[in-house]
Amino acid sequence: MSDLVTRFAPSPTGHLHLGHAHSALFGWTTARSAAGRFLLRIEDIDPNRCRPNYERDLIEDLAWLGLDWDGPIRRQSDHFDDFRTALARLESLGVLYPCFCTRKDIAAEIARAGAAPHGPDGPLYPGTCRHRSAAERAERIAHGDAPGNSWALRLDVEAARRLTGPLRWHDQVQGWQDATPELLGDVVLARKDTPTSYHLSVTVDDHLQGVTLVTRGEDLFFASHLHRLLQALLGYDPPDYHHHGLLRNAAGERLAKRDRAQSLRSLRDEGRSPAEVRAMAGFAG
Ligand code: GLU
């Protein structure tokens, strides 16, 4: 057995499609061909979007496809304490600040400023709450239950970068990268009612689960710049990365959960075999 550990980390917000199958097979094949371990993690921190039936169905779909995984499945919603611990560490470093802006406030501020820096996922947070005084923060948090006043904790990326200094990370396709987490701006790391975010929980879990190679789609390439910063702040060794290409439909668009025709379930209902679906997902033989 080698030391290689990869994982597949779907969110149960819909049925898996061929793009997920590609990603899962990529991580699984990479691990198995190196006699390493392959882990399955359910990223279900968002109770508004995740459903237990999707979790049950995705586990069944992956097994039907012929995949197996090592050890128990880690369900993120069972581990909020791990994320709280990491958040407390970031808080103690002074790199978090509460943000009281609603989406509307942010849109209005961007419109007012005339132009806003854009990141790979759209306009960046304009920093409205970054410089509020401690007194104002306390006052607003005390009134945090007022409608529209739900607060979030954001990462002060510049303050964090000053602490860590320059960082690098490695992608097996694109080579060494100088970390540029500022491309994503001051991201939300937790909300009043959810003590974590995708960025925080994925970084914590990849570390706690001993993942040595993060395999995932290239749509998450820029997120890795930020995850590298979080790893440095939290004292984690960085894993290696392999951001793979995305499967596209005939029109060249990325497959999405809403494209029901492409779901593994619908292909199976049409009578396709696991081997056929594996081939459609780019893994023939
Ligand atoms: N849960 C994420 C998703 O379904 C993937 C996270 C990752 O691989 O880092 O898009």
Side-chain angles (χ1 to χ4, degrees):
M1 209 165 197
S2 78
D3 295 336
L4 185 78
V5 183
T6 69
R7 52 41 165 205
F8 178 56
S11 299
T13 56
H15 282 127
L16 297 185
H17 53 63
L18 279 174
H20 295 107
H22 178 75
S23 200
L25 284 159
F26 188 91
W28 182 82
T29 309
T30 305
R32 293 288 177 252
S33 59
R37 290 194 301 133
F38 174 72
L39 310 179
L40 178 60
R41 183 168 75 228
I42 307 293
E43 301 213 322
D44 64 342
I45 56 171
D46 183 348
N48 297 321
R49 297 181 57 229
C50 297
R51 300 272 178 277
N53 63 306
Y54 289 136
E55 175 183 323
R56 196 190 52 226
D57 291 352
L58 77 84
I59 291 169
E60 195 185 287
D61 289 347
L62 292 173
W64 175 80
L65 207 52
L67 271 69
D68 57 354
W69 42 89
D70 298 299
I73 297 172
R74 182 169 168 102
R75 186 185 297 115
Q76 288 189 321
S77 62
D78 293 338
H79 296 277
F80 280 120
D81 279 348
D82 289 329
F83 310 133
R84 282 194 191 93
T85 303
L87 201 63
R89 160 122 181 106
L90 297 175
E91 183 95 64
S92 75
L93 295 173
V95 294
L96 302 182
Y97 64 88
C99 170
F100 308 94
C101 298
T102 60
R103 279 172 203 273
K104 229 168 121 185
D105 295 335
I106 295 174
E109 177 59 25
I110 289 172
R112 200 194 55 76
H118 266 63
D121 299 328
L124 301 185
Y125 176 63
T128 321
C129 287
R130 193 184 304 127
H131 304 295
R132 292 193 193 282
S133 69
E136 192 183 350
R137 286 176 180 169
E139 161 79 19
R140 283 180 176 253
I141 289 174
H143 292 94
D145 286 331
N149 199 12
S150 68
W151 49 273
L153 284 175
R154 287 186 182 271
L155 179 68
D156 184 337
V157 172
E158 277 316 308
R161 292 204 53 166
R162 278 195 299 275
L163 277 185
T164 65
L167 296 166
R168 300 205 313 155
W169 57 278
H170 185 258
D171 180 82
Q172 294 187 340
V173 183
Q174 302 206 37
W176 281 100
Q177 305 291 315
D178 290 323
T180 52
E182 64 277 14
L183 286 176
L184 296 171
D186 287 358
V187 292
V188 168
L189 291 190
R191 296 189 187 277
K192 189 176 146 210
D193 36 18
T194 311
T196 189
S197 64
Y198 159 66
H199 295 301
L200 183 63
S201 46
V202 81
T203 304
V204 170
D205 276 352
D206 283 336
H207 168 73
L208 291 180
Q209 294 192 282
V211 172
T212 61
L213 175 64
V214 171
T215 61
R216 61 184 171 202
E218 63 192 11
D219 52 329
L220 287 167
F221 187 85
F222 288 101
S224 300
H225 286 290
L226 174 71
H227 300 174
R228 180 67 192 95
L229 177 63
L230 293 175
Q231 289 152 6
L233 293 167
L234 293 166
Y236 302 164
D237 287 336
D240 204 0
Y241 288 86
H242 189 128
H243 292 90
H244 58 73
L246 302 177
L247 280 197
R248 297 186 183 268
N249 64 18
E253 297 153 352
R254 262 177 64 186
L255 303 181
K257 279 181 184 154
R258 61 183 173 275
D259 295 332
R260 284 193 53 237
Q262 299 290 341
S263 80
L264 303 186
R265 243 135 237 256
S266 60
L267 293 166
R268 177 177 165 182
D269 290 348
E270 278 169 22
R272 305 277 190 169
S273 70
E276 276 178 291
V277 174
R278 284 198 299 271
M280 290 170 83
F283 288 83

